[in-house]
């Protein structure tokens, strides 16, 4: 039996080496290892051996099987490789040529600024949050202390949804401020949150007005919060955007959801004595903010006797325009690749 197995192994390996293509190799495999193959026939003979002879013969049969399988595998790989090379040569394909480059997308300038600010505010312990773009009249206006007949409602030029009931009208949110109330309702006080997002207004479009643009709301509510805290947050943010400290000033400003309300101006980052951006004044108006009106805290279920806070509303689109020197806001939502391709990934 030993002799027969050794002969089978030797002859088998030689037959494998001679197979010139996949079909021939397949045939050799069936002949050697198939159900009616040579090795199977030998294995059947094992039963006839004496109990002493059987273990050694069984072990040898196993080794022969493994050796044949290995030889088949190696030969198959060699045939595949040879066939591939032949194909490539025949079809004139040169596998060493470089591939065609994949187009690489970039980051939209608004998103670039938003991401940086999200990182900055996250590092200061703020939550990044968002609310729905289709908003209730209550969240967009009433809860923010904007009365029904207040001209601020008109100044927002709201886009109302059709077919919603008079007492629960829906609109496209005109600002990110409703997220102040939503976040407070969800998380309660104390809270630090920023909410970047898209807002919508019925605007006659021009270089500085667009029906769809981006804002980022900020809100901090805690015990003993005052104007210095607000100024610190605003100044840190500007340093984050422009990469250096800017001189800033506060002017009074009116917004129904803050009291007192302010407008923050910064020294023009682009000039020393007046330029187009600052319209010759050396100051540019950057963002409004103020101390959260007690009615807003109440609407969100927070006791204004215990907590106070500040809020600000940054024009993200405007900030991106300032940072990248973009002169027309209409580029921002244009989807025009000639514009977008100028911003790196
Ligand atoms: N929501 C205001 C707007 O879109 C901007 C704003 C002003 C936001 C004052 C604030 C704020 O949080 O305190 O016109």
């Amino acid at each position: 039996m030993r002799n027969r197995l050794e002969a089978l192994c030797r002859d088998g390996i030689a037959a494998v080496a001679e197979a010139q293509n996949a079909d021939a190799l397949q045939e050799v495999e069936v002949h050697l290892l198939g159900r009616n193959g040579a090795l199977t026939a030998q294995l059947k003979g094992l039963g006839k051996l004496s109990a002493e002879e059987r273990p050694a013969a069984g072990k040898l049969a196993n080794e022969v099987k493994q050796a044949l399988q290995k030889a088949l595998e190696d030969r198959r790989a060699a045939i595949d490789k040879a066939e591939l090379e032949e194909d490539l040569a025949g079809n004139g394909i040169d596998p060493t040529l470089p591939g065609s480059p994949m187009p690489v997308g970039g980051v939209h300038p608004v998103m670039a600024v938003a991401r940086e600010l999200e990182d900055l505010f996250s590092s200061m312990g703020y939550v990044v949050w968002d609310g729905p773009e289709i908003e209730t009249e209550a969240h967009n206006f009433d809860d923010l202390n904007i009365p029904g007949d207040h001209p601020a409602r008109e100044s927002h030029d709201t886009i109302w949804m059709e077919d919603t009931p008079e007492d629960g009208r829906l609109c496209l949110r005109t600002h990110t401020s409703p997220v102040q109330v939503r976040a407070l309702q969800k998380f309660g006080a104390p809270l630090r949150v920023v909410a970047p997002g898209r807002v919508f207004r019925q605007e006659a479009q021009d270089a500085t007005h667009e029906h769809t643009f981006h804002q980022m709301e900020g809100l901090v509510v805690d015990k003993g919060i005052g104007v210095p805290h607000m100024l610190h947050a605003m100044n840190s943010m500007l340093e984050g955007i422009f990469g250096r400290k800017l001189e800033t000033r506060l002017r009074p400003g009116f917004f129904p959801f803050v009291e007192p309300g302010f407008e923050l101006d910064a020294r023009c980052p682009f000039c020393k004595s007046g330029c187009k951006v600052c319209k010759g004044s050396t100051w540019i108006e950057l963002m409004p903010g103020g101390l959260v009106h007690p009615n807003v805290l109440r609407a969100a279920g927070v006791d204004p006797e215990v907590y106070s806070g500040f809020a600000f509303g940054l024009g993200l689109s405007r900030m991106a325009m300032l940072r990248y020197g973009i002169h027309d806001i209409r580029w921002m939502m244009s989807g025009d690749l000639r514009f977008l391709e100028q911003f790196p990934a």
Side-chain angles (χ1 to χ4, degrees):
M1 174 121 193
R2 166 170 283 275
N3 288 344
R4 259 177 288 147
L5 279 171
E6 279 170 359
L8 170 64
C9 189
R10 214 179 318 112
D11 296 348
I13 288 176
V16 167
E18 266 165 38
Q20 291 307 313
N21 56 46
D23 289 345
L25 191 66
Q26 172 80 14
E27 226 168 85
V28 174
E29 179 167 19
V30 171
H31 180 68
L32 291 171
L33 303 177
R35 209 149 25 102
N36 300 314
L39 186 67
T40 319
Q42 291 296 325
L43 291 176
K44 279 183 189 145
L46 279 178
K48 293 189 194 115
L49 294 177
S50 68
E52 295 88 61
E53 287 172 313
R54 213 178 294 142
K59 186 162 172 274
L60 181 63
N62 227 353
E63 285 166 3
V64 169
K65 185 176 178 190
Q66 281 172 8
L68 291 175
Q69 279 171 336
K70 171 91 173 59
L72 283 160
E73 210 174 282
D74 290 350
R75 184 71 192 135
R76 189 167 293 126
I79 290 175
D80 283 353
K81 189 161 173 259
E83 280 180 358
L84 180 69
E85 276 165 6
E86 209 173 293
D87 273 2
L88 293 178
N91 293 333
I93 297 171
D94 178 357
T96 61
L97 282 177
S100 35
M102 294 280 283
V104 179
V107 178
H108 192 284
V110 169
M111 285 305 127
V113 174
R115 281 185 195 170
E116 274 177 37
L117 291 179
E118 284 174 20
D119 285 350
L120 176 76
F121 279 104
S122 302
S123 77
M124 298 197 288
Y126 286 62
V127 185
V128 179
W129 200 242
D130 194 9
E133 291 179 346
I134 297 178
E135 189 51 285
T136 62
E137 181 168 16
H139 277 110
N140 200 77
F141 294 111
D142 306 302
D143 294 350
L144 290 166
N145 197 39
I146 309 177
D149 55 356
H150 199 283
R153 278 199 199 210
E154 264 113 74
S155 75
H156 276 206
D157 291 322
T158 311
I159 299 167
W160 293 100
M161 308 300 287
E162 279 179 3
D163 300 329
T164 53
E166 256 318 290
D167 59 347
R169 288 200 295 171
L170 295 175
C171 60
L172 294 182
R173 67 176 176 188
T174 57
H175 50 176
T176 44
S177 300
V179 189
Q180 289 185 27
V181 178
R182 286 186 176 274
L184 264 182
Q185 284 171 337
K186 169 122 187 126
F187 298 109
L191 177 67
R192 282 176 241 183
V193 61
V194 284
R198 271 201 306 188
V199 303
F200 310 86
R201 292 188 194 176
Q202 189 112 47
E203 293 276 12
Q205 288 166 268
D206 61 26
T208 54
H209 296 89
E210 175 58 292
H211 52 69
T212 304
F213 56 102
H214 289 75
Q215 292 186 331
M216 188 166 87
E217 198 75 13
L219 173 76
V220 169
V221 174
D222 208 333
K223 289 176 181 157
I225 292 291
V227 174
H229 301 101
M230 178 188 81
L231 254 182
H232 178 265
M234 288 174 156
N235 284 332
S236 308
M237 170 150 77
L238 293 181
E239 204 179 327
I241 298 173
F242 294 104
R244 62 192 156 95
K245 279 196 164 60
L246 295 180
E247 187 192 346
T248 51
R249 69 178 185 192
L250 283 180
R251 282 180 294 115
F254 175 75
F255 304 92
F257 31 94
V258 282
E259 179 56 40
F262 303 99
E263 290 278 0
L264 182 90
D265 297 339
R267 268 295 179 207
C268 180
F270 308 106
C271 72
K272 289 217 151 46
S273 52
C275 67
K276 256 198 200 151
V277 179
C278 60
K279 298 188 186 88
S281 76
T282 77
W283 290 100
I284 46 175
E285 197 178 309
L286 279 189
M287 75 184 110
L291 298 189
V292 182
H293 196 286
N295 286 349
V296 176
L297 293 175
R298 263 184 226 110
V302 172
D303 185 352
E305 298 297 322
V306 180
Y307 288 102
S308 58
F310 69 79
F312 57 83
L314 178 77
L316 263 187
S317 305
R318 180 146 179 272
M319 226 27 81
M321 289 171 70
L322 276 176
R323 182 153 108 181
Y324 295 108
I326 300 164
H327 299 298
D328 192 322
I329 193 172
R330 289 168 294 190
W331 282 114
M332 297 304 220
M333 301 301 293
S334 67
D336 191 323
L337 287 179
R338 291 169 306 171
F339 168 70
L340 294 169
E341 277 170 350
Q342 298 173 57
F343 301 94

